[in-house]
Amino acid sequence: MMICQDLIKKILPVLLTASFFWLMFYNFDISVVSLSRPQLAPPIEMLGRSLLHQNISDPTTRKSTPSKFFNQSDLTQFMIDREELYEKRRKRIHQVCQTYGEALHRSDKKIMETLMVSKENGIGYCRHGKVGTSTWMHYFMDMADSEDLKNKIHTVSDLHPVISNYFKLSPSTHLKTYLNDNPLLLVTFVRHPFERLISTYENKIKYVKDKAFSRIRNSIGKAFGDFSFPSFIKYVLNDLTKSCSKTSCPVNVHWRPFHDRCAYCDMNYDVIGTLDEFQSDVFYISQRLQLPEVFNLKLHANGAPPLAITQSRHEKSLQYFKQLQKKQIVILLRIYSIDFELFGYTADEYLK
């Protein structure tokens, strides 16, 4: 009995001290958490995703960069700014379409080949190769929320055909009637045509041995003796000049002109996004659809080495194009001229 009393006298102070410190640190941790949690406006707090951190209330960044720290007023202004930008792009497209007339119109059947629709979520998306499309496949997979669909994707190469087929309209669909009966947010993304060619080269030929591109890669090596960028461009030019006409251009989707694939003179897109402002455009879409949990704003990695921080896509493009003859650049510009006009891109620096 005496031994137990002595043991209690020795242990009790230790337990009391430990309890004191445990309570102190427990309360301290709680206070730190409550103080450090950012106070977000409800629509942004719902995102639960990582956004960019620039201050959207700053006029210099408002039109291109969302922030998880802006309030409801800033969010409203951001949405207004984006809508004004999209309206400006639609007007430009309309003017170009009037200039070219019937040459830029496409059949409903051709449009539906590339249009993905989620009626339940209120979105229609027309895709282009090398303009964030893999990211959009993941978005649509999340919208489907189907384990059966996910189980059909065994490799990366399965992603595009499986997801696009799942969200494809029936060939018997009368497109204009369907769109009138089912209001959708129509979305498409573009980028500078020359930067897109470089992305295709790096992703499909130079750095990543894409199995789907093995035949093309072998053809380039056999025809031109190497897999350099100039050899790739020679291959692309041969394909474009042989296959394209004024009304159709059935070439590989990674260098097919934008206007031939998404029928900008037939479809009135609500969002004409760009790869340069991908985060802002996707954020706008997430707010319009009220689906913030679906849209992870990080672009899907394409397998190519990351750019140096100081080197922009534009600077890299100029460096690549210095390897080409000027007449090759002129031919590329002629082939993609309608895309340049539709979306306001320029090639002046490439021709210097």
Side-chain angles (χ1 to χ4, degrees):
M1 188 71 175
M2 291 294 293
I3 294 173
C4 289
Q5 289 178 344
D6 290 341
L7 187 61
I8 290 171
K9 288 179 181 179
K10 291 179 180 179
I11 293 175
L12 187 58
V14 176
L15 291 174
L16 289 171
T17 302
S19 299
F20 171 78
F21 280 104
W22 181 84
L23 287 170
M24 183 179 73
F25 282 109
Y26 176 78
N27 288 330
F28 176 76
D29 286 344
I30 290 176
S31 66
V32 169
V33 171
S34 63
L35 286 172
S36 63
R37 173 183 286 179
Q39 301 300 308
L40 306 179
I44 308 306
E45 195 169 27
M46 285 169 57
L47 280 172
R49 300 285 189 174
S50 175
L51 302 178
L52 300 178
H53 293 268
Q54 285 88 345
N55 180 10
I56 195 166
S57 62
D58 180 352
T60 62
T61 61
R62 177 184 291 161
K63 291 194 176 182
S64 61
T65 308
S67 166
K68 68 177 181 180
F69 297 114
F70 58 99
N71 58 33
Q72 187 64 46
S73 175
D74 288 329
L75 173 60
T76 300
Q77 187 60 55
F78 170 79
M79 299 296 283
I80 291 171
D81 288 341
R82 298 314 293 178
E83 285 162 7
E84 288 176 354
L85 177 62
Y86 301 142
E87 178 60 22
K88 189 181 295 183
R89 288 175 181 165
R90 282 191 293 270
K91 287 181 178 178
R92 182 186 185 93
I93 289 170
H94 179 69
Q95 290 172 353
V96 175
C97 291
Q98 285 187 318
T99 300
Y100 287 92
E102 287 299 316
L104 296 188
H105 289 285
R106 299 293 180 264
S107 66
D108 284 2
K109 180 181 178 182
K110 185 160 187 175
I111 297 169
M112 289 191 294
E113 288 175 0
T114 56
L115 186 67
M116 295 171 59
V117 171
S118 174
K119 181 180 174 181
E120 295 74 16
N121 293 292
I123 185 171
Y125 165 67
C126 187
R127 63 197 190 276
H128 293 295
K130 302 311 302 170
V131 193
T133 313
S134 294
T135 306
W136 273 96
M137 294 302 107
H138 286 286
Y139 292 160
F140 271 89
M141 184 162 61
D142 287 347
M143 281 189 271
D145 194 23
S146 167
E147 289 301 318
D148 290 339
L149 181 65
K150 293 176 182 177
N151 291 335
K152 293 178 181 179
I153 301 172
H154 305 291
T155 65
V156 175
S157 59
D158 295 332
L159 182 67
H160 286 258
V162 170
I163 301 299
S164 62
N165 285 332
Y166 185 87
F167 287 97
K168 187 177 288 187
L169 291 174
S170 166
S172 62
T173 302
H174 187 279
L175 184 59
K176 290 179 177 60
T177 301
Y178 182 89
L179 294 177
N180 286 333
D181 294 342
N182 301 280
L184 301 173
L185 186 73
L186 294 176
V187 174
T188 182
F189 279 75
V190 297
R191 69 188 299 185
H192 194 290
F194 290 174
E195 291 179 11
R196 180 182 178 220
L197 288 173
I198 290 158
S199 180
T200 299
Y201 171 68
E202 289 196 337
N203 184 216
K204 303 297 182 182
I205 306 296
K206 183 178 180 180
Y207 294 121
V208 181
K209 310 300 187 295
D210 190 321
K211 289 183 179 180
F213 263 69
S214 59
R215 181 186 62 81
I216 292 176
R217 197 171 189 276
N218 290 336
S219 296
I220 292 172
K222 186 176 180 180
F224 307 110
D226 58 32
F227 307 110
S228 65
F229 182 65
S231 294
F232 168 70
I233 291 299
K234 288 177 184 177
Y235 179 88
V236 169
L237 283 173
N238 284 346
D239 193 22
L240 289 167
T241 53
K242 288 179 181 178
S243 305
C244 296
S245 66
K246 290 183 178 180
T247 57
S248 180
C249 194
V251 296
N252 187 286
V253 297
H254 294 86
W255 52 82
R256 185 179 300 174
F258 295 136
H259 70 270
D260 188 65
R261 189 165 165 85
C262 285
Y264 292 95
C265 296
D266 301 283
M267 299 285 284
N268 188 30
Y269 290 98
D270 299 286
V271 177
I272 302 104
T274 66
L275 197 68
D276 290 333
E277 295 186 340
F278 190 86
Q279 288 91 344
S280 295
D281 294 322
V282 169
F283 180 77
Y284 171 86
I285 293 163
S286 75
Q287 294 299 299
R288 278 289 303 270
L289 298 179
Q290 290 298 296
L291 288 173
E293 70 281 358
V294 168
F295 295 96
N296 182 338
L297 299 186
K298 186 176 180 181
L299 269 168
H300 177 71
N302 65 9
L307 281 171
I309 294 175
T310 57
Q311 187 185 27
S312 69
R313 290 192 189 99
H314 179 63
E315 290 170 339
K316 180 165 45 168
S317 297
L318 293 175
Q319 290 300 315
Y320 265 108
F321 268 69
K322 285 180 181 179
Q323 302 175 39
L324 303 180
Q325 298 174 11
K326 188 171 182 178
K327 66 179 181 180
Q328 291 176 306
I329 301 174
V330 170
I331 296 171
L332 284 171
L333 181 58
R334 176 176 56 79
I335 292 171
Y336 291 107
S337 62
I338 294 176
D339 286 351
F340 275 89
E341 290 183 58
L342 282 170
F343 309 111
Y345 290 115
T346 178
D348 293 347
E349 290 185 73
Y350 293 88
L351 295 169
K352 288 182 180 178

